[in-house]
Amino acid sequence: MKEVVLDCFGEACPVPLVKAEKAMVDLEVGDLLIVQIDHSCAMKNVPEWARGQGYNVEIEEIEDGEWEVFIEKTK
Amino acid sequence: MPREKKVEQYDVVIIGGGAAGLTAGIYCGRARLNTLLIEKALVGGLATYTNEIENYPGFPEGTTGLGLMKLFQEQAKKFDVKFKGTDVQKVHLDGEIKKVETFRNIFEAKVVIIAAGGRPRTTGAENEDIFLYDKGISFCATCDAAANTDKVVVVIGSGDAAIEEGTFLTKFASKVIVSVLHDEGIMDCNEIAKEAALRNPKMEFVWNSVVERFEGEDHLERVVLKNIKTDELIPIEADTCFEFIGYLPNTDIFKGIVDMTDRGYINVTRNMETNIQGVFACGDVTEKYLKQVATAVGDGAIAGFATEKYIAESEIFEEQILTEELSLSYIYNAIDGDSRAYLTTMEKLEDEVEAKINIVDVYKSTGIADRLGVKEYPCVVVVKDKKVVEVIKGLPSKEDIQSKL
């Protein structure tokens, strides 16, 4: 069960989503992907994609306008 | 093997970040309670799906749902409410310490406030699941109106939301066809919205109809309505179908735990208490007469206030009432003259017995009496080793009390 941090600070849509999708391919079930974002549109589409896949999702605002999206690969 | 969950402690965990949950958060935060609010999607709840809110007091020019909820959240943050953006998977609500489980954490709290709201109800028609959300079936005119500029859209329902949102859609769409279950001229919405809709040249109505099925290749192309009186099928070419046929409360994880109605709405007292001590509920998730931002705010304020009282009472109860050493608690209602006069007897007793004396007035709150399991007042409750030893009913003489010690 490893944790992978994906730094997407400063990157606009759809880059964070594309990166997250790619990173997830290499992960095993139970692994955690942490996507760091600061564009509010990614705050919407990254979690939406992940929930749509049936993954566990948590969004945490670490600073004003900066978020970490925790995604657990569940299948 | 599942990931180990980190355990965190709070005074209050609020489930749901709509108008009710955010208001409860503001009240709890301002009462200096360590408060966590968990929201599964975006903070703001259902109000963020509404473009214009014109009946929320304080905004004579109207406001947007998103804008208003942003202000709510800012205010909650100002009072140090913490936010987590994730789904609650499980709850354990009995006992003094409640547990709320998400995929990464177990949150322990003295109080849980359920403000989980609801979600749009769907028609259940054939192929509906294939076209939900971005494939042509929408629940939010504000979100999808602009994408339907100069197109034909279908609206299902005739309540306030259906007719008002349908009217809003006529600003964009070339035609808005409304499927109404009732006979011609009968709608569930308010009269003003109804008259405006009937006069609107871009709106058409299909009376006595329900959705039979949805059709299309990748995206919705056709809504097939059915006349419920004649069984006639009415295909309508449309790009988007907006469904406004009510909401379902988000109470699945509370089933069998919290008392609720047949339709899944949580039953609460006027103080927003559920059937479980230390668990409150507020907003659209509760059984209530009017679901609006204004009423959600009222509910949330009561739930927040009641939470503060409950926690304060818990502290008094544990530290002063349910003691190791011998204690006597006089439970009375201050509006009763005889009960008031008896206070002097209790005061005298304080010098004569080796016991802690508590005076508990039930006029404002019966919380402590309820915890002691006392239903009739006045009475004197004797506690030792954290257990109720004896309940002496009425206004006993000093000797009476001393003989029981």
Side-chain angles (χ1 to χ4, degrees), chain B residues 22-156:
Chain B
L22 287 167
T23 306
I26 290 168
Y27 274 73
C28 290
R30 193 157 183 265
R32 303 223 171 126
L33 298 174
N34 187 11
T35 306
L36 173 72
L37 188 151
I38 305 173
E39 164 58 48
K40 69 175 170 192
L42 290 178
V43 173
L46 217 53
T48 60
Y49 289 81
T50 306
N51 192 28
E52 276 181 40
I53 297 186
E54 292 194 311
N55 53 6
Y56 188 72
F59 296 85
E61 305 300 321
T63 176
T64 65
L66 205 60
L68 185 62
M69 289 303 108
K70 232 181 156 150
L71 293 174
F72 277 39
Q73 188 183 12
E74 264 174 45
Q75 202 163 344
K77 277 187 175 169
K78 186 183 129 189
F79 292 119
D80 236 359
V81 174
K82 309 284 181 303
F83 287 82
K84 291 267 178 195
T86 191
D87 223 354
V88 171
Q89 295 180 328
K90 228 190 286 173
V91 290
H92 308 269
L93 299 178
D94 31 321
E96 292 285 299
I97 298 296
K98 327 285 181 197
K99 290 189 179 123
V100 176
E101 229 176 294
T102 67
F103 92 91
R104 292 174 64 219
N105 293 94
I106 295 171
F107 300 108
E108 296 183 339
K110 297 170 192 162
V111 167
V112 170
I113 300 176
I114 304 168
R119 60 189 184 280
R121 198 160 77 84
T122 50
T123 65
E126 200 182 326
N127 296 336
E128 187 173 49
D129 50 332
I130 307 173
F131 299 111
L132 283 183
Y133 302 106
D134 54 344
K135 295 280 195 291
I137 296 174
S138 171
F139 305 93
C140 175
T142 310
C143 318
D144 300 319
N148 283 286
T149 304
D150 296 328
K151 291 178 176 172
V152 176
V153 301
V154 173
V155 167
I156 312 293

Side-chain angles (χ1 to χ4, degrees), chain A residues 1-3 30-32 43-44 51 56-61 64 70-72, chain B residues 1-4 40-42 73 77 83-87 89 102-105:
Chain A
M1 283 195 300
K2 59 176 191 267
E3 292 190 7
D31 288 350
L32 196 66
M43 218 259 278
K44 205 163 175 275
R51 280 189 213 107
N56 284 322
V57 182
E58 178 174 334
I59 308 164
E60 192 145 9
E61 188 168 14
D64 208 23
F70 295 79
I71 305 167
E72 185 187 33
Chain B
M1 199 188 77
R3 188 177 300 274
E4 195 170 317
K40 69 175 170 192
L42 290 178
Q73 188 183 12
K77 277 187 175 169
F83 287 82
K84 291 267 178 195
T86 191
D87 223 354
Q89 295 180 328
T102 67
F103 92 91
R104 292 174 64 219
N105 293 94

Side-chain angles (χ1 to χ4, degrees), chain B residues 155-177:
Chain B
V155 167
I156 312 293
S158 70
D160 283 343
I163 301 308
E164 283 170 9
E165 298 296 277
T167 305
F168 170 74
L169 283 166
T170 61
K171 294 180 187 168
F172 299 85
S174 61
K175 202 194 276 179
V176 176
I177 299 167

Side-chain angles (χ1 to χ4, degrees), chain A residues 46-73:
Chain A
V46 172
E48 267 174 14
W49 157 76
R51 280 189 213 107
Q53 299 292 313
Y55 301 149
N56 284 322
V57 182
E58 178 174 334
I59 308 164
E60 192 145 9
E61 188 168 14
I62 41 175
E63 298 242 0
D64 208 23
E66 287 183 7
W67 298 273
E68 283 183 344
V69 184
F70 295 79
I71 305 167
E72 185 187 33
K73 191 162 181 171

